[in-house]
Amino acid sequence: MTLLQLLDRLQSDPRLSSRIAAWKTIPARPANSSPFPDAVNRDLVRALHHRGIESLYTHQAEAFSAVHAGEHIVVVTPTASGKTLCYNLPVLNRILEEPDARALYLFPTKALSADQVDELQQLVKALNADIKTFTYDGDTPASARRAIRAAGHVVVTNPDMLHTAILPHHTKWLRLFENLRYVIIDELHQYRGVFGSHVANVIRRLSRICRFYGSDPQFICTSATIGNPKEHAQRLIGRPVTLVDRTGAPAGEKVIAFINPPVVNRELGIRADTLMEVRDLASELIRNQIPTITFGRSRLAAELLTTYLKDLATHHGRDPETVRGYRAGYLPSERRAIERGLREGEIRAVAATNALELGIDIGQLSAAILAGYPGTIASTWQQMGRAGRTSELAAAFLVATSDPLDQYLMTHPEYFFDQSPEHALINPDNTLVLTSHLKCAVFELPVDHDEPYGASVQAEIMRHLQSQQIVHDDGRRWHYVADRFPAEEISLRSASTENVVIIDETDPKPQVVGEVDLASAPALVHEHAIYMHLSQQYHVERLDWEQRKAYVKRVEVDYYTDAEIAVGIDVLSEDAGARGPFPRAHGDVVVTYRPTIFKKLKLFTQENVGWGQITLPETTMHTTGAWWVLPEVIARPAGPKQSPTWSNDRLQGALAALSHALHNIAPLYLMCDPNDLGRVHEIRSPHTGRPTIYLYERAPGGVGLAERLFRFHDELVKAAIDLVSNCGCEWGCPSCVGPVLEVGSSGKADCLTILSSVIASPEMSRPSSRGPEGRGDLLANEIASSLRSSQ
Amino acid sequence: MTTSDGFDIRTHSWPLDRVHGLRPLGDALHLGRTAGPEGNSIAWLDTETTGLAGGTGTYVFLIGIAAAGDGCVCLTQYFLRDLGAEPDMLELVGDHLRRFDALVTFNGTRFDLPLLQTRFLLCRMRADIEAESHLDVMNLARRLWYRRLGGYSMALLEQMILKVERFIDVPGWVIPSLYVQFLHTGDFDVLEPVFAHNAQDILSLVALHGLAGELLAQPDRTPVLVDWFGLGRLLDVRGKVEAAAGCYRVALEDERDPSVRRRAATALARHYRLTGQPEQLLDLWDHEAHTGIVPGWLALERLAMVWEWELHDPRRALAYTDHAIASINGDGDHCCARLLHRRERLLRKATTRSLRGPEGAEAISASEEIASLRSR
């Protein structure tokens, strides 16, 4: 059966078609080619012919011409539309004409850079020219580093290495910086939120160094589809950018279908299990050897799907080795082998997590099945983009879970198809981020009093650093005089890089089979967990938390384990507070993740066959948070004439709704990613003694978002009212106060009541009673706390 | 002292008969030549910096350069009073250094020279200071004293080897903060100990350089305790093989560390082999086999090697090999495999040789038969 026949059956069989919540056909798009521009070196054209490239797609030609004209560009085109050629072509062309020219390639992850270097090197080989490309990252041996610094035409690295290893030692990279012509920033959309704000500052530092050596490189960026590629690129690199987004690459017809599993328990509103639906959907694809990828939202889902798909392959008489799993935690060599297998067609189906969402080259597949909504419109399109052939039909399925957000999409598919993808937001001028990078910048080169850094040098920040004896002012310039190496104290990604190693002790010689990051470890490798790796089950015999090691043995059981984690919050200190109608404060908090129990669930049926306690220390994270106490007038009515006190359930719903609304709107004001914040609410907070909602920073130590939340309180409340009252839903939806299942039928109305009562209060505009006074004080506090957390 | 805009130049001289460490400075200058570096005119250099981590944000605020003068050792100290004056000062430092064609430092390879190079580049001056003829005395000190003292910092060497005492001194790690304090307050007094520290470092550098030269020139008359194996290695590298062999012999008199003893014996054996002294080789390894510090099987294996390759007697070699195999206890599989491999080869050689006697051609084909039987 072909994919077309499969799709027909899906639509015509009433049992199956009843599950279709949306069905959209995207027509085929013909190739739009363009001859090589005249400026392309003839040798390069010959080499491309040799690699089977006879002409360019229009977007590639457009990119080349814009770069040739001296513009900075951002290229936004779908997966596998040949976007690497958009930068390789101008770079190689320039090096052929100017053998001393240099280019710097920045990739957010190592896996990506390995792929792209490979492609570049193939082209260089076909070109038969003396062009050296090197990867410079943590794995580069010390002996090779000197050669790379002196002789690499193309240096491939990541922002972290640029930040800690290259810029602080720029004199060793003299040849690179003197001759730097192009900076390539691939996967631009990855640089958002805290990470993006840091990277924007790394690029400001890079630009300073280039100015010092007399070079002025052009930036060539590529991005997946996001709402604001041009604006985002301009903000990230601090320069005007030309947008190249009309793809010339051909695409076959593509069907996008939303599948909603049937309701199996009407009373409880429970739907059939998503993974089982995915399994049924994949069955015919596997039987007919149609190249398929499934995406699970968690590692567990990916591993379960791997098991199910392998089982299907065996059932249909296919080799189960043609089905593989793919997720973070597999060793790099395993991942490379799987990627190669997919490209070369030996592997026909893969069950992945979003680890495969990035631009990793696995060739093109015919079908993609998403087990649950990935969380953002942008990443949904990216995962669906994995299915797409240049000429043949492809299909992408989104199979809903019972989660409110998924159900919302099933009933409002237009929300997905009409809404533009999310905007990538960064704030390079975040005081804390800026302070960190000014320290690094002044370490790299003295900063002139009137030197522009980003918008301008913040003299206030420099004076603060001076009072800390980190910099010295000679009257004209600031010089770094502290004894410490600043870049090493500043992590671009904030998150910890610690992990737990998984050691298989089944055989006499123990073997490392994988790793999980520290934060996920309590849920995945607690004692008696069934850990799945490459669809082999392992029983966790013991978890040595101190040594960060989990000892496992291979087993074959018919169940898996699922851990529950409770999130709690404690206030350590209050940095500032304000009474007013909506009492609020911000300060240091400790967020506690406590694994409680795990359930043993039977494979295939999900039947609960047992449970156990997880005895692990809580993991705690020290960060900053902002919190709001429910206005007294609502929570505890003043007199008998007022409405009666809300029931706990109602209060719970109102708090959930309020925290959801503030969390929804906060990123817009903080210029951060929604994932940079977490939320908790308590009916009776031990700290305030009242119903309280908290928003806390997910980055350890915080980056100042909480303090901004506190400071932008008035705007935040107004925007939240707008958001909630303008939302077309009746009882609440994920776009405003959260789904009705979470907030209850009164949640939305109660949330609005609370917010409106705040805004109606005459105290709203009055200065807060004991809030911070001037901006100078705030800044000093902010900087002081950043210094504390970096020590 | 001369003061320009933003930086000071201080000079100081010590008479040649001033004793620092074991010898007068004049002797040290002379003796040091044996240790290097190549070149006609030498400068001794030491710097004080705003940090120890390196990188572009570390300033060199004090540069001490010493040289042999007319009847004295002359020290010039360039002090950066104002960070903005760095280019002007470095220009004079560059001119000063160009008067010499060789440098002597303590840890200059990893610290002072790359840092100075970076400062020159940052001040837009093309200097190739790292390519100059250069001797890093720390490399010599590590070989000569690390195992004896458990370290080779300048402070330790002054205390244990040179036997000089510092009366007023600041520990090196405090120096960056004193300079920052000076920048902050303008109080010059806090820096006086830093100037003294730098001068003392340079004096000790000259003395250590002299002492290293003396040890290399006259290894049989060492005035201080020394790691004989390390001295032997230094002499070996410089082509003084006889003197090196002498040092290894002394080292073996009382060396108790198995791995160092093994390396010393191996180095000495190499010397005997290259100079064609098989009897000495046999004595050496025989002695090692009986001393019992180096593993017995290893000494026996070396004896087997001598018999096989130097004295061409596979039967004796085979006997030692068997002996070696018998005395292995828990020393790892690869040694055992190596010995078994040797045994196989020696067995073949031994039979070939015995069969290739007066019996002639017939016997040879018989030995081939044996060999081919074995290989099955």
Side-chain angles (χ1 to χ4, degrees):
Chain A
M1 213 187 302
T2 64
L3 182 59
L4 181 64
Q5 290 165 321
L6 275 170
L7 291 175
D8 278 347
R9 208 188 72 175
L10 202 55
Q11 280 182 295
S12 54
D13 182 336
R15 195 181 60 86
L16 297 174
S17 64
S18 64
R19 301 166 188 221
I20 298 172
W23 188 279
K24 198 174 172 86
T25 304
I26 298 171
R29 187 177 59 219
N32 216 338
S33 301
S34 170
F36 287 99
D38 288 341
V40 181
N41 182 295
R42 291 297 103 188
D43 289 342
L44 193 47
V45 173
R46 261 193 297 279
L48 287 166
H49 283 180
H50 186 73
R51 308 245 324 132
I53 299 169
E54 299 292 333
S55 64
L56 295 178
Y57 292 133
T58 44
H59 65 277
Q60 292 168 332
E62 197 184 325
F64 181 87
S65 301
V67 172
H68 194 69
E71 291 160 27
H72 307 286
I73 64 166
V74 55
V75 180
V76 185
T77 52
T79 322
S81 55
K83 73 187 157 92
T84 44
L85 200 56
C86 292
Y87 50 79
N88 283 339
L89 193 63
V91 166
L92 291 177
N93 198 55
R94 182 70 176 255
I95 297 174
L96 286 175
E97 277 159 21
E98 186 194 332
D100 275 340
R102 297 284 189 268
L104 185 66
Y105 283 38
L106 295 177
F107 294 96
T109 66
K110 265 186 209 167
L112 275 170
S113 56
D115 259 7
Q116 317 295 16
V117 172
D118 197 44
E119 189 172 329
L120 181 62
Q121 276 170 344
Q122 304 255 354
L123 192 52
V124 168
K125 215 158 113 195
L127 201 52
N128 201 15
D130 183 29
I131 296 175
K132 295 189 178 68
T133 61
F134 290 110
T135 303
Y136 191 85
D137 60 26
D139 299 340
T140 307
S143 55
R145 296 188 171 199
R146 187 178 283 266
I148 296 174
R149 287 186 206 127
H153 287 96
V154 175
V155 175
V156 179
T157 187
N158 51 53
D160 313 77
M161 283 300 278
L162 186 59
H163 160 63
T164 56
I166 298 180
L167 292 177
H169 297 285
H170 58 85
T171 49
K172 291 183 179 162
W173 294 85
L174 186 76
R175 292 287 294 278
L176 176 74
F177 289 117
E178 279 184 334
N179 300 293
L180 191 59
R181 299 291 172 262
Y182 297 113
V183 176
I184 311 306
I185 304 179
D186 199 27
E187 304 278 326
L188 185 81
H189 60 278
Q190 294 279 317
Y191 303 118
R192 53 180 200 267
V194 178
F195 184 35
S197 306
H198 275 295
V199 172
N201 276 282
V202 172
I203 288 170
R204 287 171 173 177
R205 285 160 51 199
L206 170 68
S207 303
R208 285 184 83 222
I209 301 299
C210 288
R211 267 202 305 278
F212 177 77
Y213 289 101
S215 61
D216 183 17
Q218 276 175 265
F219 286 79
I220 306 176
C221 314
T222 69
S223 171
T225 304
I226 50 174
N228 58 340
K230 181 172 167 160
E231 178 214 40
H232 181 51
Q234 293 187 156
R235 224 172 143 66
L236 194 86
I237 69 171
R239 295 162 168 80
V241 163
T242 303
L243 177 66
V244 176
D245 64 350
R246 284 183 304 266
T247 178
E253 188 179 70
K254 186 159 167 182
V255 167
I256 292 177
F258 284 10
I259 308 289
N260 204 2
V263 175
V264 290
N265 182 328
R266 204 155 288 284
E267 289 76 49
L268 297 176
I270 293 174
R271 289 178 178 270
D273 184 70
T274 310
L275 296 186
M276 302 309 291
E277 284 288 309
V278 171
R279 175 181 176 276
D280 293 347
L281 201 55
S283 176
E284 283 304 307
L285 294 167
I286 294 208
R287 183 215 287 269
N288 292 292
Q289 295 207 299
I290 294 166
T292 300
I293 185 165
T294 66
F295 283 101
R297 282 202 296 221
S298 64
R299 295 171 175 204
L300 181 61
E303 282 297 347
L304 284 171
L305 283 170
T306 314
T307 309
Y308 294 169
L309 298 190
K310 274 182 183 287
D311 207 57
L312 284 173
T314 313
H315 178 76
H316 291 309
R318 306 290 182 195
D319 179 3
E321 280 308 296
T322 60
V323 176
R324 303 295 287 271
Y326 186 107
R327 60 165 173 78
Y330 284 7
L331 300 172
S333 53
E334 288 169 2
R335 290 216 211 178
R336 295 298 93 75
I338 297 169
E339 287 158 20
R340 201 170 334 106
L342 279 165
R343 275 198 301 270
E344 290 165 6
E346 285 156 26
I347 296 176
R348 310 296 290 185
V350 66
T353 59
N354 61 5
L356 237 174
E357 196 183 309
L358 302 167
I360 294 163
D361 180 16
I362 52 165
Q364 285 295 286
L365 307 171
S366 294
I369 308 177
L370 281 56
Y373 178 59
T376 65
I377 293 175
S379 57
T380 306
W381 282 113
Q382 279 165 49
Q383 292 186 355
M384 286 183 161
R386 280 296 175 188
R389 319 282 287 186
T390 47
S391 51
E392 294 155 52
L393 176 69
F397 306 94
L398 170 61
V399 181
T401 67
S402 298
D403 283 0
L405 197 50
D406 288 46
Q407 287 308 312
Y408 179 81
L409 283 176
M410 291 298 130
T411 46
H412 301 84
E414 71 283 352
Y415 175 84
F416 176 77
F417 289 107
D418 301 344
Q419 188 100 348
S420 81
E422 293 81 359
H423 286 224
L425 299 173
I426 56 169
N427 181 12
D429 293 324
N430 174 307
T431 317
L432 299 180
V433 173
L434 193 65
T435 307
S436 298
H437 288 276
L438 273 171
K439 265 196 267 182
C440 297
V442 70
F443 180 90
E444 285 148 13
L445 280 178
V447 174
D448 285 356
H449 280 189
D450 54 359
E451 177 181 336
Y453 173 88
S456 63
V457 166
Q458 312 266 326
E460 220 174 326
I461 295 176
M462 295 310 273
R463 275 199 291 277
H464 175 76
L465 293 178
Q466 195 176 338
S467 72
Q468 304 280 312
Q469 303 210 348
I470 290 170
V471 303
H472 173 75
D473 185 358
D474 73 357
R476 217 163 49 82
R477 304 199 291 176
W478 285 287
H479 299 264
Y480 187 85
V481 292
D483 193 1
R484 298 161 67 167
F485 192 83
E488 268 171 8
E489 296 166 4
I490 298 155
S491 159
L492 303 186
R493 303 182 197 244
S494 295
S496 127
T497 51
E498 274 191 284
N499 64 2
V500 171
V501 179
I502 296 152
I503 299 161
D504 178 9
E505 287 191 312
T506 317
D507 302 323
K509 206 171 179 182
Q511 214 186 345
V512 172
V513 291
E515 58 192 32
V516 295
D517 62 274
L518 197 61
S520 321
L524 293 177
V525 291
H526 58 83
E527 271 167 33
H528 304 307
I530 299 297
Y531 176 75
M532 301 231 268
H533 184 79
L534 289 170
S535 47
Q536 167 67 52
Q537 296 172 312
Y538 297 87
H539 180 261
V540 179
E541 303 282 311
R542 124 186 108 83
L543 173 62
D544 186 340
W545 188 251
E546 296 300 314
Q547 297 294 315
R548 309 278 191 248
K549 283 175 186 160
Y551 297 92
V552 302
K553 284 203 168 142
R554 288 197 294 276
V555 290
E556 256 182 59
V557 293
D558 62 350
Y559 69 92
Y560 65 95
T561 52
D562 191 15
E564 290 185 3
I565 311 268
V567 182
I569 196 162
D570 282 304
V571 175
L572 286 185
S573 67
E574 208 171 293
D575 286 350
R579 288 202 190 93
F582 198 6
R584 62 195 194 276
H586 75 93
D588 288 1
V589 298
V590 168
V591 178
T592 315
Y593 300 96
R594 189 167 50 85
T596 50
I597 57 158
F598 65 94
K599 290 180 285 191
K600 296 180 184 176
L601 299 171
K602 206 159 176 171
L603 285 168
F604 302 101
T605 66
Q606 327 301 333
E607 189 186 337
N608 193 334
V609 292
W611 64 279
Q613 297 275 2
I614 304 178
T615 45
L616 267 183
E618 297 173 336
T619 44
T620 56
M621 183 184 67
H622 190 147
T623 183
T624 57
W627 54 95
W628 291 262
V629 180
L630 217 58
E632 202 134 353
V633 59
I634 302 286
R636 202 184 302 145
K641 279 181 190 164
Q642 306 272 353
S643 57
T645 310
W646 290 351
S647 70
N648 270 3
D649 275 355
R650 185 168 169 194
L651 196 54
Q652 187 91 28
L655 289 172
L658 194 57
S659 66
H660 203 291
L662 290 177
H663 188 189
N664 254 340
I665 203 75
L668 297 175
Y669 277 87
L670 302 174
M671 297 273 201
C672 72
D673 192 276
N675 289 326
D676 294 340
L677 294 173
R679 64 187 170 98
V680 174
H681 61 265
E682 289 171 339
I683 290 235
R684 188 184 153 80
S685 152
H687 180 69
T688 65
R690 306 273 312 281
T692 305
I693 61 171
Y694 298 86
L695 294 184
Y696 64 89
E697 295 194 52
R698 285 249 170 88
V703 292
L705 302 179
E707 188 164 346
R708 280 178 171 263
L709 279 172
F710 175 81
R711 199 193 299 158
F712 283 107
H713 167 79
D714 290 6
E715 289 88 341
L716 207 61
V717 169
K718 282 183 195 128
I721 290 176
D722 278 353
L723 175 82
V724 179
S725 54
N726 291 336
C727 187
C729 71
E730 199 168 350
W731 309 109
C733 76
S735 300
C736 58
V737 297
V740 64
L741 289 174
E742 200 183 300
V743 302
S745 54
S746 59
K748 185 175 178 181
D750 287 347
C751 173
L752 264 181
T753 311
I754 296 168
L755 290 171
S756 310
S757 80
V758 169
I759 210 123
S761 158
E763 287 177 67
M764 175 81 178
S765 54
R766 284 231 307 265
S768 43
S769 52
R770 59 184 175 104
E773 296 313 321
R775 191 170 183 287
D777 284 355
L778 256 186
L779 183 77
N781 276 343
E782 224 174 59
I783 295 169
S785 70
S786 90
L787 292 172
R788 261 207 313 283
S789 65
S790 73
Q791 272 159 14
Chain B
M1 183 172 101
T2 45
T3 298
S4 316
D5 264 354
F7 65 96
D8 301 342
I9 303 171
R10 289 186 164 199
T11 52
H12 185 82
S13 61
W14 295 288
L16 290 180
D17 56 3
R18 153 88 184 248
V19 176
H20 186 85
L22 309 171
R23 310 265 180 249
L25 290 175
D27 292 4
L29 293 185
H30 174 69
L31 289 164
R33 302 303 309 222
T34 312
E38 274 183 38
N40 296 317
S41 50
I42 292 176
W44 288 264
L45 179 133
D46 189 50
T47 64
E48 309 303 329
T49 63
T50 58
L52 303 175
T56 46
T58 305
Y59 287 82
V60 180
F61 70 85
L62 181 60
I63 303 170
I65 303 169
D70 197 12
C72 65
V73 172
C74 305
L75 170 69
T76 311
Q77 288 175 316
Y78 290 88
F79 171 69
L80 187 58
R81 202 154 24 78
D82 177 348
L83 291 174
E86 190 184 24
D88 300 337
M89 183 179 101
L90 285 186
E91 203 168 326
L92 288 194
V93 170
D95 290 346
H96 192 133
L97 287 176
R98 268 187 285 280
R99 306 213 300 260
F100 306 96
D101 59 4
L103 286 175
V104 178
T105 65
F106 194 82
N107 197 21
T109 313
R110 288 187 53 220
F111 191 72
D112 305 66
L113 299 193
L115 213 49
L116 272 178
Q117 179 80 49
T118 295
R119 298 324 304 173
F120 277 113
L121 287 172
L122 284 168
C123 292
R124 303 189 180 280
M125 282 178 239
R126 297 271 165 175
D128 220 355
I129 195 164
E130 282 177 284
E132 304 248 343
S133 171
H134 169 225
L135 174 75
D136 190 338
V137 175
M138 196 173 87
N139 291 337
L140 301 181
R142 188 173 54 233
R143 287 240 185 258
L144 292 172
W145 294 296
Y146 173 54
R147 286 202 316 117
R148 286 303 180 94
L149 306 180
Y152 49 89
S153 69
M154 185 58 102
L156 189 64
L157 293 168
E158 283 183 343
Q159 187 195 341
M160 304 300 292
I161 302 297
L162 296 177
K163 316 259 192 220
V164 295
E165 257 183 86
R166 295 194 182 205
F167 293 102
I168 46 154
D169 193 36
V170 281
W173 57 270
V174 176
I175 291 175
S177 63
L178 290 178
Y179 182 65
V180 175
Q181 195 184 331
F182 159 75
L183 286 178
H184 204 61
T185 62
D187 177 6
F188 198 80
D189 291 346
V190 299
L191 287 173
E192 279 309 332
V194 179
F195 284 93
H197 177 95
N198 180 256
Q200 182 84 7
D201 272 356
I202 290 214
L203 267 183
S204 292
L205 173 62
V206 172
L208 268 183
H209 181 211
L211 180 56
E214 183 177 350
L215 290 172
L216 289 168
Q218 302 159 342
D220 48 337
R221 281 185 285 152
T222 61
V224 292
L225 89 163
V226 70
D227 177 350
W228 289 101
F229 173 63
L231 179 55
R233 291 291 300 272
L234 288 174
L235 288 162
D236 240 343
V237 174
R238 284 165 173 74
K240 299 182 176 172
V241 290
E242 285 298 337
C247 290
Y248 298 141
R249 273 191 292 266
V250 181
L252 288 174
E253 279 169 17
D254 61 353
E255 182 59 64
R256 309 290 305 171
D257 179 319
S259 103
V260 177
R261 189 168 183 96
R262 173 181 176 166
R263 285 161 66 203
T266 306
L268 185 55
R270 180 171 174 275
H271 173 71
Y272 288 149
R273 207 170 62 242
L274 292 176
T275 50
Q277 306 186 61
E279 312 76 25
Q280 299 280 21
L281 266 176
L282 290 179
D283 283 353
L284 169 67
W285 289 116
D286 205 47
H287 182 71
E288 290 309 304
H290 287 96
T291 318
I293 297 171
V294 164
W297 67 266
L298 183 92
L300 293 164
E301 183 195 32
R302 299 300 157 99
L303 282 168
M305 288 162 76
V306 177
W307 282 110
E308 181 180 0
W309 301 111
E310 308 299 322
L311 301 169
H312 308 289
D313 185 340
R315 283 171 182 278
R316 298 288 281 274
L318 186 59
Y320 276 110
T321 305
D322 284 341
H323 198 165
I325 293 172
S327 60
I328 277 191
N329 42 4
D331 231 325
D333 299 337
H334 69 283
C335 308
C336 199
R338 199 171 71 194
L339 282 165
L340 287 172
H341 182 76
R342 178 182 301 279
R343 187 171 185 276
E344 294 257 321
R345 187 179 62 231
L346 286 168
L347 266 176
R348 266 201 309 277
K349 278 193 188 176
T351 45
T352 310
R353 178 166 293 199
S354 67
L355 292 171
R356 237 185 232 164
E359 287 87 0
E362 221 173 87
I364 291 169
S365 69
S367 85
E368 275 168 0
E369 238 165 59
I370 292 167
S372 63
L373 274 173
R374 284 196 168 280
S375 67
R376 265 174 219 170

